[in-house]
Amino acid sequence: MKQKLEAIRQEALNAINNADVSSELEALRVRYLGKKGELKAVLNQMGKLSAEERPAMGQLANEVKAAVNDALAAQAKRLEEAALNKRLENETLDVTIPGEPVELGHKHPISIVLDEVKDIFIGMGFTVAEGPEIELAEYNFTRLNTEEGHPGREWTDTFYITPGDKDPKNDAVLLRSQTSPMQVRVMEAQKPPIRIVAPGRVYRKDEADATHSPMFHQIEGMVVDKNVTMADLKGTLNEVIKSLYGEESVTRFRPHHFPFTEPSCEVDVQCFACKGKGCSVCKGEGWIEVLGAGMIHPKVLKGCNIDTDVYSGWAFGMGVERLAMMRFGINNLKLCFENDVRFLEQF
Ligand code: DAH
């Protein structure tokens, strides 16, 4: 029996030390130490030994078992280390390989134009004001002298969130259809002299096509101070248009009507493509409309507690998309909102 045990030890240690995958080690463990393993088979014979022989054999059997166990653990550790070394070798990082270029994003054409307009006004001493896109009818219409019954207030033109009722506490909530409510919000918060521009999104129930979108951007401008006249409005807007379209650009101020300005005007720029002769860019007109403006209506000023004997003001509202389209020769407004990188990459 002693020889048998020694033979098992020899054979097992040999096999274990030569095993080169862990599944092989497990098979060897079962073969030598398992319930039906070789060591167990020898121990089952213990009963045949004399009482004197038994303890020594028992001890030897335990030694063999411990030796096999130790060998299994040691070999398992060696295999693990070898596998790790192999992985480290395979996965080494070659830091000399040139990196993949990182694609940088582009500023959207609308943001480019907006930032430019803001910069021009900031350079003239204006500050930038921002306000809510979800607005009360009171600010979007009523306090801009646009009473109930005006077509702009119809649900067919404006996106209402809640319709409101006669009680002023339940005023209608809507998506602002213009940036003009910012005039009222700023006059409520600030005392004259005021010089602000207020850029932002506006919403109208317009069918999307090459020149319309239910969401677009405007930039509102407003000056309230002593002795402010229409001449200041013309001078300032002419300067702005020259900065945007070049020194030689020609403007035209046409009388118009807006409820919140008196007098009101629309401003056109002579078509830069045909110099006023008429072409496809200006649809044969020779002029391109760029903004609406006027002297702030006394009713609007008074509604904000501004003393109209002391102060007067002018305001304008400009469509940013139109500006961007003219500036970059974009022929379809939809391109501005589709987020196609092939389009956006060009700016
Ligand atoms: N809010 C007007 C619109 O969306 C544009 C406008 C006209 C703004 C005259 C003004 C203004 O501030 O004075 O059509």
Coordinates of all heavy atoms in Angstrom, one line a residue, residues 264-330:
S264 N -44.6 103.5 -37.3 CA -43.9 102.2 -37.5 C -43.3 102.2 -38.9 O -43.8 102.9 -39.8 CB -45.0 101.1 -37.4 OG -45.6 101.1 -36.1
C265 N -42.3 101.3 -39.1 CA -41.8 101.2 -40.4 C -41.2 99.8 -40.6 O -41.1 99.0 -39.6 CB -40.6 102.2 -40.6 SG -39.3 102.0 -39.4
E266 N -41.0 99.5 -41.9 CA -40.3 98.2 -42.2 C -39.0 98.7 -42.9 O -39.0 99.7 -43.6 CB -41.1 97.3 -43.1 CG -42.0 96.4 -42.2 CD -42.7 95.3 -43.0 OE1 -42.8 95.4 -44.2 OE2 -43.0 94.3 -42.3
V267 N -38.0 97.9 -42.7 CA -36.7 98.3 -43.3 C -36.3 97.3 -44.3 O -36.3 96.1 -44.0 CB -35.6 98.5 -42.2 CG1 -34.3 98.9 -42.8 CG2 -36.0 99.5 -41.1
D268 N -35.9 97.7 -45.5 CA -35.5 96.8 -46.5 C -34.0 97.2 -46.8 O -33.6 98.3 -46.7 CB -36.3 97.1 -47.8 CG -37.8 96.9 -47.7 OD1 -38.2 96.1 -46.8 OD2 -38.5 97.6 -48.4
V269 N -33.3 96.1 -47.3 CA -31.9 96.3 -47.8 C -32.0 96.1 -49.3 O -32.6 95.2 -49.7 CB -31.0 95.3 -47.1 CG1 -29.5 95.6 -47.6 CG2 -31.1 95.4 -45.6
Q270 N -31.3 97.0 -50.0 CA -31.2 96.8 -51.4 C -30.5 95.4 -51.7 O -29.5 95.1 -51.1 CB -30.4 97.9 -52.1 CG -30.6 97.9 -53.6 CD -29.9 99.1 -54.2 OE1 -28.6 99.1 -54.2 NE2 -30.6 100.0 -54.7
C271 N -31.1 94.7 -52.6 CA -30.7 93.3 -52.9 C -29.2 93.3 -53.2 O -28.7 94.0 -54.2 CB -31.5 92.7 -54.0 SG -30.9 91.0 -54.4
F272 N -28.4 92.5 -52.5 CA -26.9 92.5 -52.7 C -26.6 91.7 -53.9 O -25.5 91.9 -54.5 CB -26.3 91.9 -51.4 CG -26.8 90.6 -51.1 CD1 -26.4 89.4 -51.6 CD2 -27.9 90.5 -50.2 CE1 -27.0 88.2 -51.3 CE2 -28.5 89.3 -49.8 CZ -28.0 88.1 -50.4
A273 N -27.5 90.9 -54.4 CA -27.2 90.0 -55.5 C -27.3 90.8 -56.8 O -26.5 90.7 -57.7 CB -28.1 88.8 -55.6
C274 N -28.4 91.7 -56.9 CA -28.6 92.4 -58.2 C -28.5 93.9 -58.1 O -28.7 94.6 -59.1 CB -30.0 92.0 -58.7 SG -31.3 92.6 -57.6
K275 N -28.1 94.3 -56.9 CA -28.0 95.8 -56.6 C -29.3 96.5 -57.0 O -29.2 97.6 -57.6 CB -26.8 96.4 -57.4 CG -25.5 95.8 -57.0 CD -24.9 96.6 -55.9 CE -23.5 96.0 -55.4 NZ -23.7 94.9 -54.5
G276 N -30.4 95.9 -56.7 CA -31.7 96.6 -56.9 C -32.4 96.4 -58.2 O -33.5 96.9 -58.4
K277 N -31.7 95.7 -59.1 CA -32.4 95.6 -60.5 C -33.6 94.6 -60.4 O -34.5 94.7 -61.2 CB -31.3 95.0 -61.5 CG -30.3 96.1 -61.8 CD -29.6 95.6 -63.1 CE -28.2 96.4 -63.3 NZ -27.2 96.0 -62.3
G278 N -33.5 93.6 -59.5 CA -34.5 92.6 -59.4 C -34.0 91.3 -59.9 O -33.5 91.2 -61.1
C279 N -34.0 90.3 -59.1 CA -33.5 89.0 -59.5 C -34.2 87.9 -58.7 O -35.2 88.2 -57.9 CB -32.0 88.9 -59.2 SG -31.5 88.9 -57.5
S280 N -33.8 86.6 -58.7 CA -34.5 85.6 -58.1 C -34.3 85.7 -56.5 O -35.2 85.3 -55.8 CB -34.0 84.2 -58.6 OG -32.6 84.1 -58.3
V281 N -33.1 86.2 -56.1 CA -32.9 86.3 -54.7 C -33.9 87.2 -54.0 O -34.5 86.9 -53.0 CB -31.5 86.8 -54.4 CG1 -31.2 87.0 -52.9 CG2 -30.4 85.8 -54.9
C282 N -34.2 88.4 -54.7 CA -35.2 89.3 -54.1 C -36.6 89.2 -54.7 O -37.4 90.0 -54.5 CB -34.6 90.7 -54.3 SG -34.3 91.2 -56.0
K283 N -36.8 88.1 -55.4 CA -38.0 87.8 -56.1 C -38.4 89.0 -57.0 O -39.6 89.4 -57.1 CB -39.1 87.5 -55.1 CG -38.8 86.3 -54.3 CD -40.0 85.6 -53.7 CE -39.7 84.4 -52.9 NZ -39.2 84.7 -51.5
G284 N -37.5 89.6 -57.7 CA -37.8 90.6 -58.7 C -38.0 92.0 -58.0 O -38.3 93.0 -58.7
E285 N -37.9 92.1 -56.7 CA -38.3 93.3 -56.0 C -37.1 94.4 -56.0 O -37.4 95.6 -55.9 CB -38.6 93.0 -54.6 CG -39.9 92.2 -54.4 CD -41.2 93.0 -54.6 OE1 -41.2 94.2 -54.2 OE2 -42.1 92.5 -55.2
G286 N -35.9 93.8 -56.0 CA -34.8 94.7 -55.9 C -34.4 95.0 -54.4 O -33.4 95.6 -54.1
W287 N -35.4 94.7 -53.5 CA -35.2 95.0 -52.1 C -35.5 93.7 -51.2 O -36.4 93.0 -51.6 CB -36.1 96.1 -51.6 CG -35.8 97.4 -52.3 CD1 -36.4 97.9 -53.4 CD2 -34.9 98.4 -51.8 NE1 -35.8 99.1 -53.8 CE2 -34.9 99.5 -52.8 CE3 -34.1 98.5 -50.7 CZ2 -34.2 100.6 -52.7 CZ3 -33.3 99.7 -50.6 CH2 -33.3 100.7 -51.6
I288 N -34.9 93.6 -50.1 CA -35.2 92.5 -49.2 C -35.6 93.1 -47.8 O -34.8 93.8 -47.3 CB -34.0 91.5 -49.1 CG1 -33.7 91.0 -50.5 CG2 -34.3 90.4 -48.1 CD1 -32.4 90.2 -50.5
E289 N -36.8 92.7 -47.4 CA -37.2 93.2 -46.1 C -36.4 92.5 -45.0 O -36.2 91.3 -45.0 CB -38.7 92.8 -45.9 CG -39.3 93.3 -44.6 CD -40.5 92.4 -44.2 OE1 -41.3 92.0 -45.0 OE2 -40.5 92.1 -43.0
V290 N -35.9 93.3 -44.0 CA -35.1 92.7 -43.0 C -35.6 92.9 -41.5 O -35.3 92.1 -40.7 CB -33.6 93.1 -43.0 CG1 -32.9 92.5 -44.2 CG2 -33.5 94.7 -43.0
L291 N -36.4 93.9 -41.3 CA -36.9 94.1 -39.9 C -38.1 95.0 -39.9 O -38.4 95.8 -40.8 CB -35.8 94.6 -39.0 CG -35.1 95.9 -39.3 CD1 -35.8 97.1 -38.7 CD2 -33.6 95.8 -38.8
G292 N -38.8 94.9 -38.7 CA -39.9 95.9 -38.4 C -39.4 96.7 -37.3 O -38.7 96.3 -36.4
A293 N -39.8 98.0 -37.3 CA -39.3 98.9 -36.2 C -40.3 100.1 -36.0 O -41.3 100.2 -36.7 CB -38.0 99.4 -36.6
G294 N -40.0 100.9 -35.0 CA -40.8 102.1 -34.8 C -40.6 102.7 -33.5 O -39.7 102.3 -32.7
M295 N -41.3 103.9 -33.3 CA -41.2 104.5 -32.0 C -42.2 103.8 -31.0 O -43.3 103.7 -31.4 CB -41.5 106.0 -32.1 CG -40.6 106.8 -33.0 SD -38.9 106.7 -32.5 CE -38.9 107.6 -31.0
I296 N -41.7 103.5 -29.9 CA -42.6 102.7 -29.0 C -43.8 103.5 -28.7 O -43.8 104.7 -28.3 CB -41.8 102.3 -27.7 CG1 -40.6 101.5 -28.0 CG2 -42.8 101.5 -26.7 CD1 -39.7 101.3 -26.8
H297 N -45.0 102.9 -28.8 CA -46.3 103.5 -28.6 C -46.4 104.0 -27.2 O -46.1 103.3 -26.2 CB -47.4 102.5 -28.9 CG -48.7 103.1 -29.2 ND1 -49.4 103.9 -28.2 CD2 -49.5 103.2 -30.3 CE1 -50.5 104.3 -28.7 NE2 -50.6 103.9 -30.0
P298 N -46.8 105.3 -27.0 CA -47.0 105.8 -25.6 C -47.8 104.9 -24.7 O -47.5 104.9 -23.5 CB -47.7 107.2 -25.9 CG -47.5 107.5 -27.3 CD -47.2 106.3 -28.0
K299 N -48.8 104.2 -25.3 CA -49.6 103.3 -24.4 C -48.7 102.2 -23.8 O -48.9 101.8 -22.7 CB -50.7 102.7 -25.3 CG -52.0 103.3 -25.3 CD -53.0 102.4 -25.9 CE -54.4 102.9 -26.0 NZ -55.2 102.0 -26.8
V300 N -47.8 101.7 -24.6 CA -46.9 100.7 -24.1 C -46.0 101.2 -23.0 O -45.8 100.6 -22.0 CB -46.1 100.1 -25.3 CG1 -45.1 99.0 -24.8 CG2 -47.0 99.5 -26.3
L301 N -45.4 102.4 -23.3 CA -44.5 103.0 -22.3 C -45.3 103.3 -21.0 O -44.9 102.9 -19.9 CB -44.0 104.3 -22.8 CG -43.0 104.2 -24.0 CD1 -42.7 105.6 -24.6 CD2 -41.7 103.5 -23.6
K302 N -46.5 103.9 -21.1 CA -47.3 104.2 -19.9 C -47.7 102.9 -19.1 O -47.7 102.9 -17.9 CB -48.6 105.0 -20.3 CG -48.3 106.4 -20.6 CD -49.5 107.2 -21.0 CE -49.2 108.6 -21.5 NZ -50.1 109.0 -22.6
G303 N -48.0 101.9 -19.9 CA -48.3 100.6 -19.2 C -47.2 100.1 -18.4 O -47.4 99.2 -17.5
C304 N -46.0 100.5 -18.6 CA -44.8 100.1 -17.8 C -44.4 101.2 -16.9 O -43.2 101.2 -16.4 CB -43.7 99.7 -18.8 SG -44.1 98.3 -19.8
N305 N -45.3 102.1 -16.6 CA -45.0 103.3 -15.7 C -43.8 104.1 -16.2 O -43.0 104.6 -15.3 CB -44.7 102.7 -14.3 CG -46.0 102.3 -13.7 OD1 -47.1 102.9 -13.9 ND2 -45.9 101.2 -12.9
I306 N -43.7 104.3 -17.4 CA -42.7 105.2 -17.9 C -43.3 106.5 -18.3 O -44.3 106.6 -19.1 CB -41.9 104.6 -19.1 CG1 -41.1 103.4 -18.5 CG2 -41.0 105.6 -19.8 CD1 -40.2 102.7 -19.4
D307 N -42.8 107.6 -17.8 CA -43.3 108.9 -18.0 C -43.0 109.4 -19.4 O -41.9 109.7 -19.8 CB -42.7 109.9 -17.0 CG -43.3 111.3 -17.1 OD1 -44.1 111.6 -18.0 OD2 -43.1 112.1 -16.2
T308 N -44.1 109.5 -20.3 CA -43.9 109.8 -21.7 C -43.6 111.2 -21.9 O -43.3 111.6 -23.0 CB -45.1 109.3 -22.5 OG1 -46.3 109.8 -21.9 CG2 -45.2 107.8 -22.6
D309 N -43.8 112.1 -20.9 CA -43.4 113.5 -21.0 C -41.9 113.6 -20.9 O -41.3 114.6 -21.4 CB -44.0 114.4 -19.9 CG -45.5 114.5 -20.1 OD1 -45.9 114.4 -21.3 OD2 -46.2 114.7 -19.1
V310 N -41.2 112.6 -20.3 CA -39.8 112.7 -20.1 C -39.1 111.8 -21.1 O -38.0 112.1 -21.7 CB -39.4 112.3 -18.7 CG1 -37.9 112.4 -18.4 CG2 -40.2 113.2 -17.7
Y311 N -39.7 110.6 -21.3 CA -39.0 109.5 -22.0 C -39.7 109.2 -23.3 O -40.9 109.2 -23.4 CB -38.8 108.3 -21.2 CG -37.9 108.4 -20.0 CD1 -38.5 108.6 -18.7 CD2 -36.6 108.5 -20.1 CE1 -37.7 108.7 -17.6 CE2 -35.7 108.7 -19.0 CZ -36.3 108.8 -17.7 OH -35.5 108.9 -16.6
S312 N -38.9 108.7 -24.3 CA -39.4 108.1 -25.5 C -38.5 107.0 -25.8 O -37.4 106.8 -25.2 CB -39.5 109.1 -26.6 OG -38.2 109.7 -26.8
G313 N -38.9 106.2 -26.8 CA -38.1 105.0 -27.1 C -38.4 104.5 -28.5 O -39.4 104.8 -29.1
W314 N -37.4 103.7 -29.0 CA -37.7 103.0 -30.3 C -37.4 101.5 -30.1 O -36.7 101.1 -29.1 CB -36.9 103.6 -31.4 CG -35.4 103.6 -31.3 CD1 -34.6 104.7 -30.9 CD2 -34.5 102.6 -31.6 NE1 -33.3 104.4 -31.0 CE2 -33.2 103.1 -31.4 CE3 -34.6 101.3 -32.0 CZ2 -32.0 102.3 -31.5 CZ3 -33.4 100.5 -32.2 CH2 -32.2 101.0 -32.0
A315 N -37.9 100.7 -31.0 CA -37.7 99.3 -30.9 C -37.7 98.7 -32.3 O -38.1 99.3 -33.3 CB -38.9 98.7 -30.1
F316 N -37.1 97.5 -32.4 CA -37.2 96.8 -33.7 C -37.2 95.3 -33.4 O -36.9 94.8 -32.3 CB -35.9 97.1 -34.6 CG -34.7 96.5 -34.0 CD1 -34.3 95.2 -34.5 CD2 -33.9 97.1 -33.1 CE1 -33.2 94.6 -34.0 CE2 -32.7 96.5 -32.6 CZ -32.4 95.2 -33.1
G317 N -37.6 94.6 -34.4 CA -37.6 93.1 -34.4 C -37.2 92.5 -35.7 O -37.6 93.0 -36.7
M318 N -36.2 91.6 -35.6 CA -35.5 91.1 -36.8 C -35.6 89.6 -36.8 O -35.4 89.0 -35.8 CB -34.1 91.6 -36.7 CG -33.2 91.4 -37.9 SD -31.9 92.7 -38.0 CE -31.1 92.5 -36.4
G319 N -35.9 89.0 -38.0 CA -35.9 87.6 -38.2 C -34.5 87.1 -38.4 O -33.8 87.5 -39.3
V320 N -34.0 86.2 -37.5 CA -32.6 85.7 -37.6 C -32.4 84.8 -38.8 O -31.4 84.8 -39.5 CB -32.2 85.1 -36.3 CG1 -30.7 84.7 -36.4 CG2 -32.4 86.1 -35.2
E321 N -33.4 83.9 -39.0 CA -33.2 82.9 -40.1 C -33.0 83.6 -41.5 O -32.2 83.2 -42.3 CB -34.4 82.0 -40.2 CG -34.3 80.8 -39.2 CD -34.7 81.2 -37.8 OE1 -35.0 82.4 -37.6 OE2 -34.6 80.3 -36.9
R322 N -33.9 84.6 -41.7 CA -33.8 85.3 -43.0 C -32.4 85.9 -43.1 O -31.8 85.9 -44.2 CB -34.8 86.4 -43.0 CG -34.5 87.4 -44.1 CD -35.7 88.2 -44.6 NE -36.9 87.5 -44.8 CZ -38.0 88.0 -45.1 NH1 -38.1 89.4 -45.2 NH2 -39.1 87.3 -45.3
L323 N -31.9 86.5 -42.1 CA -30.5 87.1 -42.1 C -29.5 86.0 -42.4 O -28.6 86.3 -43.3 CB -30.3 87.6 -40.6 CG -29.6 88.9 -40.5 CD1 -30.5 90.0 -41.0 CD2 -29.3 89.1 -39.0
A324 N -29.6 84.8 -41.8 CA -28.6 83.8 -42.0 C -28.7 83.3 -43.5 O -27.7 83.0 -44.1 CB -28.9 82.6 -41.0
M325 N -30.0 83.1 -44.0 CA -30.1 82.6 -45.3 C -29.5 83.6 -46.3 O -28.9 83.2 -47.3 CB -31.6 82.4 -45.6 CG -32.2 81.2 -44.9 SD -34.0 81.1 -45.0 CE -34.1 80.3 -46.6
M326 N -29.7 84.9 -46.1 CA -29.2 85.9 -47.0 C -27.7 85.9 -46.9 O -27.0 85.9 -47.9 CB -29.7 87.3 -46.7 CG -31.0 87.5 -47.3 SD -31.8 89.0 -46.6 CE -30.6 90.2 -46.7
R327 N -27.2 85.8 -45.7 CA -25.8 85.9 -45.5 C -25.0 84.7 -46.1 O -23.9 84.9 -46.7 CB -25.6 85.8 -44.0 CG -24.2 85.9 -43.5 CD -23.6 87.3 -44.0 NE -22.3 87.3 -43.5 CZ -22.0 87.7 -42.3 NH1 -22.9 88.0 -41.5 NH2 -20.7 87.7 -41.9
F328 N -25.5 83.5 -46.0 CA -24.8 82.3 -46.4 C -25.4 81.7 -47.7 O -24.9 80.7 -48.2 CB -24.8 81.2 -45.4 CG -24.1 81.7 -44.1 CD1 -24.8 81.8 -42.9 CD2 -22.8 81.9 -44.1 CE1 -24.2 82.2 -41.7 CE2 -22.1 82.3 -42.9 CZ -22.8 82.4 -41.7
G329 N -26.4 82.4 -48.3 CA -26.9 81.9 -49.6 C -27.6 80.6 -49.4 O -27.6 79.7 -50.2
I330 N -28.3 80.4 -48.2 CA -29.1 79.2 -48.0 C -30.4 79.3 -48.6 O -31.1 80.3 -48.4 CB -29.3 79.0 -46.4 CG1 -27.9 78.9 -45.8 CG2 -30.1 77.8 -46.2 CD1 -28.0 79.0 -44.2

